[in-house]
Amino acid sequence: ISKAADSKSDIHLALLSDRSSPLSSGLSPAQMLFNRDVRTTLPALQFTNPDHSPVLDKMRHQRQVQKQHYDQQAKVLQPLASNDTVRLRNPAGGWSKMAVVLRQTSPRSYIVRLDAGTMVRRNRRDLLKVTPRPRVFPTLDRQDTLDLQDAVMHHPDTPAADVHMDTDDPGSPCPLRRSTRIRRAPNRLNSMNMD
């Protein structure tokens, strides 16, 4: 193209000549695409019936070598079942949203339902099976519950109306509550003049 630009000749004719020049396989890109010779200004020998079998054998061999290189690093992904919990691959990298597998539509394609309720179709390589984490609330014995109730009741920031703990059933999960940590302002704020 740069030679055509330097000699002020037609760029399209230069591209046509380039695409009709034979490669190392013996065929030109135009011959491989159209399965025939294209009309060009280049001088060329005319073959009445070219034999493409060596070229096709070479292409098959290249594909086989490429497959062997790919198979060295590839692994077979296990199929997913209905109601499996999965994460979806984030296009920017990593795994993002949680979803539930509804059904398999083809050997590597699955319909999944996101947390928002929308259903999407994803390839198996874009789904990561995860084990759902059960919600576990810590269980406290009776003495720990009484100690915790005493600490909350004597905390100066806790109003008395917020303190109601069920200590009758020691096996019941502890209700969600406020933290009992005493919060103090930093000393640097006490030394500032508020003028």
mmCIF file of all heavy atoms in Angstrom, residues 37 83 98 182 194:
data_model
loop_
_atom_site.group_PDB
_atom_site.id
_atom_site.type_symbol
_atom_site.label_atom_id
_atom_site.label_comp_id
_atom_site.label_asym_id
_atom_site.label_seq_id
_atom_site.Cartn_x
_atom_site.Cartn_y
_atom_site.Cartn_z
ATOM 1 N N ASP A 37 -9.626 -18.474 -9.101
ATOM 2 C CA ASP A 37 -8.710 -17.347 -9.317
ATOM 3 C C ASP A 37 -9.503 -16.082 -9.608
ATOM 4 O O ASP A 37 -10.569 -16.130 -10.224
ATOM 5 C CB ASP A 37 -7.790 -17.633 -10.519
ATOM 6 C CG ASP A 37 -6.731 -18.667 -10.185
ATOM 7 O OD1 ASP A 37 -6.323 -18.712 -9.004
ATOM 8 O OD2 ASP A 37 -6.323 -19.414 -11.088
ATOM 9 N N ASN A 83 -31.573 -25.535 40.587
ATOM 10 C CA ASN A 83 -31.502 -24.954 41.931
ATOM 11 C C ASN A 83 -30.084 -24.882 42.486
ATOM 12 O O ASN A 83 -29.918 -24.676 43.678
ATOM 13 C CB ASN A 83 -32.411 -25.694 42.911
ATOM 14 C CG ASN A 83 -33.856 -25.578 42.513
ATOM 15 O OD1 ASN A 83 -34.280 -24.552 42.007
ATOM 16 N ND2 ASN A 83 -34.607 -26.642 42.707
ATOM 17 N N MET A 98 -25.027 -13.162 42.384
ATOM 18 C CA MET A 98 -25.494 -14.503 42.733
ATOM 19 C C MET A 98 -26.728 -14.806 41.900
ATOM 20 O O MET A 98 -27.518 -13.922 41.587
ATOM 21 C CB MET A 98 -25.845 -14.590 44.206
ATOM 22 C CG MET A 98 -24.671 -14.373 45.123
ATOM 23 S SD MET A 98 -23.602 -15.777 45.205
ATOM 24 C CE MET A 98 -24.537 -16.847 46.254
ATOM 25 N N ILE A 182 -18.508 1.144 74.032
ATOM 26 C CA ILE A 182 -18.619 2.528 74.498
ATOM 27 C C ILE A 182 -17.862 3.412 73.519
ATOM 28 O O ILE A 182 -16.680 3.194 73.253
ATOM 29 C CB ILE A 182 -18.047 2.691 75.915
ATOM 30 C CG1 ILE A 182 -18.840 1.805 76.878
ATOM 31 C CG2 ILE A 182 -18.068 4.152 76.336
ATOM 32 C CD1 ILE A 182 -18.252 1.750 78.265
ATOM 33 N N MET A 194 -13.798 26.234 69.834
ATOM 34 C CA MET A 194 -14.980 26.315 68.976
ATOM 35 C C MET A 194 -15.386 27.776 68.784
ATOM 36 O O MET A 194 -16.553 28.112 68.729
ATOM 37 C CB MET A 194 -16.121 25.523 69.580
ATOM 38 C CG MET A 194 -15.808 24.058 69.773
ATOM 39 S SD MET A 194 -15.332 23.256 68.258
ATOM 40 C CE MET A 194 -16.899 22.736 67.683
#
